[in-house]
Amino acid sequence: MPQYTRNNAWNNGGTFDNPDVLWYAKGVGQMMRRALNDPTSWWFYAAIHGEYVNPATAWYPSPAAFPAWGYITSPPSVPTSPLPSPAMQELYWNQCQHGSWYFLPWHRGYLMALETQLRQDIVAQGGPETWALPYWNYFGGEAGSQFQMPPAFAAQTLPDGSPNPLYLAMRYGPDGDANIYVPTAAGEAAHPNDPKLPPVANEVTEQPALSETQFSKADPLYGFGGPDTGFSHDGGHFGRLESNPHNKVHVYVGGTPSNTALYGLMADPGTAALDPIFYLHHCNIDRLWAVWNASGNANPTAPSWLDGPAQQFAMPDPNGQPWYYTPGQMSDLGALDYHYQELLSQPAVEPALATRLVLLGAAAAAAKVASEPAAPVAPRQPELLGANRGALRIQTGGTQTLVKMDPSVRHKTEVSLARAAETAQPDSAFLKLENVRGTFDATVLQVYVQAATGAAGGDKALLADTVALFGLRRASAADGQHGGEGLTLVLDITHILDQLHLAGGLTADALQVDIVPNRPLPDGGVVEVGRVSVYRQAF
């Protein structure tokens, strides 16, 4: 039996009656008492993930303003000095891996390092030697009732009346009112008719990430864990688990209070790890990786993943010495002496292809697929179906563009869908928001697709998906790791392709794409899309 068990933060009602949460608060408080340049301090650990405290970095705001750490509203009171030596910053700070197949293993090591430091501080205060980080399973509870942030994090004081280190001023939530919840299906049902939330069909969910069977894929979808990359601090292409729920939870929990340039700390990689709820969110992401593995899915075996990138991953140990680790060392949770309270394999689901074939009128082919699942068919190289002209600036009320389709490529897709009964594997389709750049991470974009106005099936806008712009500012920095190329967001629009086909909408020359932010952008808050493109993928 593993020595350490990470338990649900909602045990005992998610209050300080949960000893895991109470000891977490005491450990965080002890780490917060140390200086910024102390490798065992809360602030140093937050900067390992990302920081806006060193003005010499490419992503530090110019002119100086929020989200620079000196402009954060307390509590907590975030220090900006003394800075550690340049060598210490180079070794430890700004390491977080995003948009990469290293996303999951890097964060697992990060959690373990922080947990080790917290445990030492907790034991020194009389706490349990087997203490482990709790997790916030926003999908958990009866009928999904744990979508709300555990109440201990909203309390301003501990049971003894002292200030609560888990309480944060700049944590606004999806409605900007400091009511912190995640819009899962249950979360949305508890907030009916909320104009700030997308339709229930695209709520924050662990699906389709857990239904993905490959850890890493090439363009256009990047698998469960993300694309094959090198060291990727400001990555722009997300795996399914990172896209949803990871990115969406960050942005919804952080939120923004009003039409201002301020937003919650969780909404930006350079401030997120200052918020104690960050680590409970990432414990749940790590738990979902463990669930995915327990369901029979394999991690990469390529040496480039097992050994990690050329720039090694390093964390300080409680003595301030570097601990180096590789993704391969993080691949087996049990071997690391850890377990989760809730760690069950996912039940088998009806093959998505069978459901799709029924919709397309190919009942016989669907029955065959359902009863005799064939080996997965490798998709062919994606083919550009169409793209819009020029970059777009997202307006508060939404922005519209036309994606003109190539007639010959469109015809191939029409034939594929019409012959679904014979081919049993009709085309898939993906929409790309390419090179999304800007300054305001606390944004969720709702993307709608329909046949161009006046065409058959063109009177109904269909929601493709919602995408969160977590990491936008850093990915847009011209002098950053990726030269300011921004984020590239991929949406699976196969379900829209099918509905347009059934309504006759694929005969249109173009698709209309509407991009609508979930909240008004503030003055000076910029979000631009370099190109909107649609790809066909045949099998």
Side-chain angles (χ1 to χ4, degrees):
M1 182 69 182
Q3 182 177 7
Y4 304 112
T5 298
R6 291 175 177 163
N7 295 310
N8 192 325
W10 264 97
N11 291 347
N12 294 3
T15 68
F16 287 121
D17 290 336
N18 182 341
D20 294 322
V21 175
L22 179 60
W23 283 114
Y24 180 47
K26 293 181 178 182
V28 170
Q30 185 62 34
M31 289 184 69
M32 283 182 170
R33 295 184 182 98
R34 301 184 181 118
L36 171 62
N37 65 344
D38 185 337
T40 68
S41 76
W42 184 257
W43 324 111
F44 192 98
Y45 262 89
I48 290 173
H49 190 267
E51 50 80 20
Y52 292 115
V53 67
N54 183 350
T57 57
W59 44 79
Y60 190 86
S62 180
F66 182 82
W69 284 15
Y71 298 83
I72 292 173
T73 302
S74 65
S77 181
V78 179
T80 57
S81 64
L83 291 175
S85 68
M88 288 280 281
Q89 292 182 54
E90 179 70 21
L91 177 61
Y92 291 121
W93 281 14
N94 298 300
Q95 270 203 68
C96 68
Q97 299 296 289
H98 288 285
S100 166
W101 64 349
Y102 300 132
F103 164 69
L104 289 168
W106 183 88
H107 282 85
R108 179 169 283 179
Y110 183 46
L111 291 177
M112 289 180 60
L114 177 83
E115 198 169 35
T116 300
Q117 179 59 54
L118 283 167
R119 189 181 298 120
Q120 177 171 291
D121 287 325
I122 287 168
V123 170
Q125 298 176 71
E129 295 184 355
T130 57
W131 178 88
L133 275 166
Y135 59 89
W136 175 19
N137 179 11
Y138 18 81
F139 307 113
E142 186 176 354
S145 59
Q146 293 171 1
F147 58 83
Q148 197 82 24
M149 182 179 68
F153 288 78
Q156 295 193 33
T157 59
L158 294 175
D160 64 5
S162 61
N164 177 13
L166 307 184
Y167 176 76
L168 192 77
M170 299 189 74
R171 188 194 285 145
Y172 302 115
D175 298 328
D177 57 1
N179 177 20
I180 312 302
Y181 69 95
V182 175
T184 61
E188 289 187 1
H191 298 79
N193 305 315
D194 187 339
K196 303 179 185 70
L197 298 178
V200 172
N202 283 269
E203 75 278 357
V204 177
T205 175
E206 71 268 47
Q207 298 288 356
L210 290 181
S211 64
E212 176 62 68
T213 59
Q214 291 180 256
F215 190 96
S216 185
K217 289 181 178 177
D219 191 3
L221 286 182
Y222 300 103
F224 175 80
D228 180 349
T229 70
F231 190 95
S232 181
H233 179 56
D234 297 320
H237 300 78
F238 301 113
R240 288 201 166 190
L241 187 67
E242 187 174 4
S243 180
N244 186 13
H246 172 265
N247 289 356
K248 290 184 181 180
V249 171
H250 266 285
V251 171
Y252 278 131
V253 168
T256 178
S258 60
N259 189 21
T260 71
L262 300 179
Y263 49 80
L265 302 188
M266 272 283 281
D268 188 310
T271 56
L274 291 165
D275 187 341
I277 201 65
F278 167 94
Y279 299 96
L280 274 67
H281 167 41
H282 267 279
C283 261
N284 196 48
I285 295 298
D286 187 77
R287 184 187 68 86
L288 292 174
W289 180 21
V291 168
W292 188 77
N293 284 152
S295 301
N297 299 298
N299 298 324
T301 57
S304 54
W305 186 84
L306 293 172
D307 299 336
Q311 180 174 338
Q312 290 181 286
F313 300 153
M315 298 290 163
D317 70 14
N319 298 316
Q321 298 303 307
W323 166 54
Y324 297 99
Y325 66 96
T326 66
Q329 292 170 332
M330 297 295 105
S331 63
D332 184 350
L333 191 70
L336 298 170
D337 216 12
Y338 278 87
H339 185 69
Y340 282 99
Q341 176 186 339
E342 299 168 291
L343 185 54
L344 300 174
S345 61
Q346 291 295 107
V349 297
E350 182 180 3
L353 178 57
T355 304
R356 188 180 177 207
L357 290 170
V358 169
L359 176 68
L360 294 173
K368 183 176 181 181
V369 167
S371 62
E372 304 175 20
V377 178
R380 300 177 187 173
Q381 185 68 23
E383 187 173 11
L384 183 65
L385 180 58
N388 75 325
R389 290 186 176 181
L392 303 171
R393 182 161 182 163
I394 304 301
Q395 307 295 327
T396 288
T399 300
Q400 184 181 103
T401 190
L402 291 179
V403 173
K404 186 172 178 60
M405 291 190 282
D406 182 305
S408 63
V409 179
R410 182 190 63 194
H411 177 69
K412 295 177 188 177
T413 294
E414 290 180 89
V415 171
S416 168
L417 296 177
R419 293 180 178 175
E422 299 173 26
T423 64
Q425 187 84 353
D427 284 1
S428 296
F430 304 93
L431 184 145
K432 272 189 173 184
L433 303 179
E434 301 177 26
N435 304 117
V436 183
R437 300 181 177 93
T439 60
F440 202 70
D441 291 50
T443 307
V444 175
L445 300 179
Q446 303 170 36
V447 182
Y448 297 86
V449 179
Q450 60 184 310
T453 304
D459 58 350
K460 183 180 180 182
L462 303 169
L463 179 66
D465 205 344
T466 57
V467 288
L469 303 186
F470 183 66
L472 181 71
R473 174 189 289 272
R474 298 167 85 82
S476 303
D479 296 330
Q481 183 186 11
H482 298 284
E485 68 182 19
L487 305 176
T488 291
L489 307 165
V490 181
L491 293 70
D492 187 340
I493 61 167
T494 301
H495 63 294
I496 291 181
L497 185 78
D498 292 345
Q499 292 182 61
L500 289 175
H501 166 70
L502 293 171
L506 278 184
T507 60
D509 293 331
L511 297 175
Q512 177 180 309
V513 178
D514 292 87
I515 307 171
V516 184
N518 67 319
R519 307 263 332 251
L521 295 176
D523 293 340
V526 176
V527 177
E528 296 180 336
V529 180
R531 188 174 83 153
V532 180
S533 55
V534 175
Y535 286 80
R536 159 190 186 257
Q537 189 162 55
F539 294 86

